[in-house]
Amino acid sequence: MYENLLPRFLRYVKTETRSNPESTTTPSTQTQVAFAQTLKAELEELGLSDVHYNEQNGFVIATLPSNIDKEVPAIGFIAHMDTADFNAVNVNPQIIENYDGSSDIALDTEGKFKLTTADFPNLANYQGETLITTDGSTLLGADDKSGIAEIMTAMETLINNPEIKHGTVKVAFGPDEEIGVGADKFDVEDFDVQFAYTMDGGPVGELQYETFNAAQAEITIYGKNVHPGTAKDTMINALQLAIDFHNQLPADEVPEKTDGYQGFFHLMSLGGTTEEAKMAYIIRDHDREKFEARKALITEIQEKMNTQYGQERVAVHMYDQYYNMKEIIEKDMSIIDVAEKAMIELDIKPIIEPVRGGTDGSKISYMGIPTPNIFAGGENMHGRFEYVSLQSMEKATSLIVKIAELVAK
């Protein structure tokens, strides 16, 4: 349907843009800066207006001017440039045409890694479609280069088909979403739209305006190390205190035992020595009161353990990362209504469900631009088993065009 969509996507994913959580720069990696400049040149070549790269926040911004003579809301579409914490060097996409919906797909030539219907039953949804997979050694990068390719192709479609009427449409491609800081410096005045959509969801039909409330807790535990042969009543093992801390959290409120609206504590890292240990948690809940209660429990355990030892043995640095965009978007559900109507007109069944995570839209919504999330098509994100259907990307591209058309009406 869109002849440049697939080659555009393949070109994007072969460009390494992994973000770096240890970096202090914005963007966090120079590969994202280089990719941003490539996208800027492509937007200019397509004929968009006011194309610019913001060196302060790493976003490429462009405008498709209105082609109608009445005032309608300016809208935006956003996708992120970076890929997740998995090997992204030398991405070598594999193309499986007319997939039969039931066969296992060998990713590498040795057959060590396979997409199997037993492990990934959603493969059955793609019978007769063209799948793009990895070669087993890297992630694919459909999260979120499928979103970038879809937005870029939709803009190309609107430019080449002026009979499709639309108001002002703005696009933004930004950095560092995967490390949770991409939207921190987003310039809402520069973007200047009434509402926007992130093209950063999964399978076809996803339309999401509920995300987690999110926080991170970085915990340092101070022990006392003495010779183990004379340690009785003297040694304080920081690693054991870390275990004791963790065991005071609800055992079943972890990612591997929760779904839907259930929140969790996720221990991301634990390491150290008898003398000092460090732990890092992410804390998630859709409900704001339960979210605050989870943070309070972390503090309660800290205070209890410090009281037990009569001194500070547990130090906690805890900070909020983003909030549930539902609190903003539910004030005016028209932006959800127009996306849902666009899907229905394209024979796409809307799947409106909470995100068990967050998007750039989580932060941008609280900055003043309501920004729900729409499917980009990928499955099994962030690893070697990632894949995307070309037909899913085509549907996402058509959806962008249709939303622009409906808003103009």
Side-chain angles (χ1 to χ4, degrees):
M1 183 184 299
Y2 302 104
E3 62 181 1
N4 291 326
L5 178 57
L6 180 57
R8 180 173 277 138
F9 173 70
L10 295 178
R11 187 169 71 250
Y12 293 167
V13 298
K14 290 178 183 179
T15 304
E16 190 273 310
T17 56
R18 184 174 177 177
S19 48
N20 177 10
E22 304 302 320
S23 173
T24 58
T25 64
T26 302
S28 64
T29 53
Q30 284 302 303
T31 54
Q32 292 183 80
V33 177
F35 187 50
Q37 296 297 337
T38 299
L39 295 175
K40 177 177 178 288
E42 186 174 354
L43 289 163
E44 291 170 337
E45 185 178 350
L46 286 179
L48 277 82
S49 302
D50 190 26
V51 182
H52 57 282
Y53 173 69
N54 187 322
E55 294 185 357
Q56 302 303 312
N57 61 25
F59 275 82
V60 179
I61 307 289
T63 302
L64 180 65
S66 172
N67 65 358
I68 57 177
D69 58 3
K70 63 178 180 179
E71 290 292 326
V72 298
I75 63 172
F77 294 93
I78 302 170
H80 64 88
M81 300 183 293
D82 64 319
T83 58
D85 189 20
F86 194 85
N87 181 29
V89 177
N90 297 323
V91 173
N92 181 31
Q94 312 297 305
I95 299 175
I96 294 91
E97 295 183 348
N98 195 27
Y99 175 61
D100 64 16
S102 60
S103 298
D104 294 344
I105 300 172
L107 300 178
D108 57 319
T109 55
E110 295 82 11
K112 182 178 179 181
F113 302 110
K114 295 181 179 180
L115 279 170
T116 67
T117 54
D119 290 335
F120 307 109
N122 278 6
L123 284 168
N125 298 331
Y126 298 99
Q127 182 177 357
E129 299 190 11
T130 297
L131 299 185
I132 302 100
T133 76
T134 76
D135 68 357
S137 65
T138 68
L139 48 63
L140 179 60
D143 181 11
D144 186 26
K145 288 171 182 170
S146 58
I148 298 176
E150 291 154 5
I151 293 170
M152 194 76 79
T153 305
M155 295 306 102
E156 181 180 47
T157 300
L158 290 170
I159 289 171
N160 292 340
N161 297 273
E163 70 276 8
I164 302 174
K165 300 305 177 184
H166 59 82
T168 299
V169 181
K170 291 204 168 188
V171 302
F173 304 133
D176 297 334
E177 190 269 354
E178 297 294 0
I179 58 175
V181 299
D184 287 354
K185 300 177 182 179
F186 187 76
D187 189 338
V188 295
E189 291 184 5
D190 183 24
F191 203 45
D192 192 24
V193 298
Q194 276 67 57
F195 58 91
Y197 301 93
T198 48
M199 302 300 297
D200 192 21
V204 169
E206 285 190 353
L207 173 56
Q208 300 155 326
Y209 66 94
E210 296 181 74
T211 59
F212 277 138
N213 296 290
Q216 182 156 328
E218 297 165 355
I219 301 170
T220 303
I221 299 180
Y222 303 100
K224 182 192 294 184
N225 191 17
V226 297
H227 191 285
T230 58
K232 190 175 189 301
D233 298 327
T234 303
M235 176 185 285
I236 300 175
N237 189 329
L239 288 169
Q240 182 59 55
L241 264 63
I243 294 169
D244 294 343
F245 186 102
H246 184 71
N247 285 342
Q248 294 179 71
L249 294 171
D252 290 333
E253 296 181 15
V254 292
E256 59 268 35
K257 295 183 179 180
T258 54
D259 60 10
Y261 284 98
Q262 296 172 318
F264 57 74
F265 300 91
H266 176 40
L267 178 60
M268 296 190 300
S269 64
L270 167 61
T273 63
T274 302
E275 187 73 22
E276 184 176 298
K278 291 184 180 293
M279 314 168 72
Y281 287 91
I282 58 172
I283 303 161
R284 301 289 188 263
D285 210 296
H286 288 94
D287 183 276
R288 181 67 77 100
E289 289 187 9
K290 292 179 180 179
F291 172 64
E292 296 298 335
R294 290 185 185 281
K295 292 190 295 179
L297 179 57
I298 293 285
T299 302
E300 179 184 322
I301 295 171
Q302 173 198 17
E303 293 174 348
K304 176 183 175 182
M305 293 182 70
N306 286 336
T307 299
Q308 177 184 349
Y309 286 93
Q311 54 190 293
E312 184 178 71
R313 291 290 172 186
V314 180
V316 174
H317 173 52
M318 186 160 48
Y319 53 93
D320 291 351
Q321 296 170 301
Y322 57 84
Y323 302 110
N324 188 348
M325 67 170 76
K326 178 184 177 182
E327 295 179 20
I328 302 298
I329 293 174
E330 67 180 354
K331 296 174 183 178
D332 181 1
M333 291 290 286
S334 63
I335 58 177
I336 300 300
D337 295 340
V338 72
E340 187 175 12
K341 182 179 179 182
M343 287 188 188
I344 292 170
E345 289 195 12
L346 294 171
D347 293 323
I348 298 170
K349 181 180 179 181
I351 302 171
I352 301 177
E353 59 187 13
V355 183
R356 287 185 61 78
T359 71
D360 281 338
S362 303
K363 293 182 179 180
I364 294 171
S365 292
Y366 281 86
M367 292 176 174
I369 302 175
T371 308
N373 190 44
I374 288 175
F375 70 89
E379 299 244 19
N380 305 340
M381 311 296 198
H382 297 187
R384 70 180 85 249
F385 299 107
E386 185 182 4
Y387 68 92
V388 67
S389 157
L390 174 59
Q391 286 74 18
S392 295
M393 289 195 293
E394 289 176 343
K395 289 175 182 178
T397 303
S398 294
L399 184 60
I400 295 168
V401 173
K402 179 60 71 172
I403 289 174
E405 187 179 10
L406 289 180
V407 171
K409 293 180 178 180

